[in-house]
Amino acid sequence: MEFLDLVKIGSKVKVNIDLSKDRLNAKTIEAIKKSSICLVKDFRLTDGKGIGVIVELSNGEKEWFFENEIQLL
């Protein structure tokens, strides 16, 4: 199945911080450490080769991740 067939807006996902912490700011990293479970808010085309997922973090901020940086719950 395709990634977009499995993930929908409103889905809960878990962020794998080890795959993305080199590009995130300290505030975002702290929010993910507090709770890595996030709510999918939207999608974003990446460099033309994939889909990014915009999620709402535990602190209410929104951040995007590549599809390989999140895990479906």
Side-chain angles (χ1 to χ4, degrees), residues 11-69:
S11 298
K12 288 186 179 182
V13 295
K14 183 176 181 178
V15 173
N16 183 339
I17 196 168
D18 294 328
L19 297 177
S20 53
K21 67 181 170 186
D22 61 327
R23 65 175 181 82
L24 301 173
N25 64 43
K27 186 177 178 181
T28 300
I29 291 171
E30 190 59 37
I32 295 169
K33 284 182 178 178
K34 191 173 200 178
S35 175
S36 62
I37 307 300
C38 303
L39 193 63
V40 175
K41 291 295 189 176
D42 207 353
F43 299 97
R44 173 180 170 177
L45 286 175
T46 59
D47 59 2
K49 298 178 182 172
I51 302 291
V53 179
I54 300 172
V55 300
E56 185 175 340
L57 304 171
S58 63
N59 64 1
E61 298 282 324
K62 292 186 176 80
E63 183 63 63
W64 75 273
F65 295 91
F66 291 105
E67 61 185 87
N68 68 323
E69 297 173 333

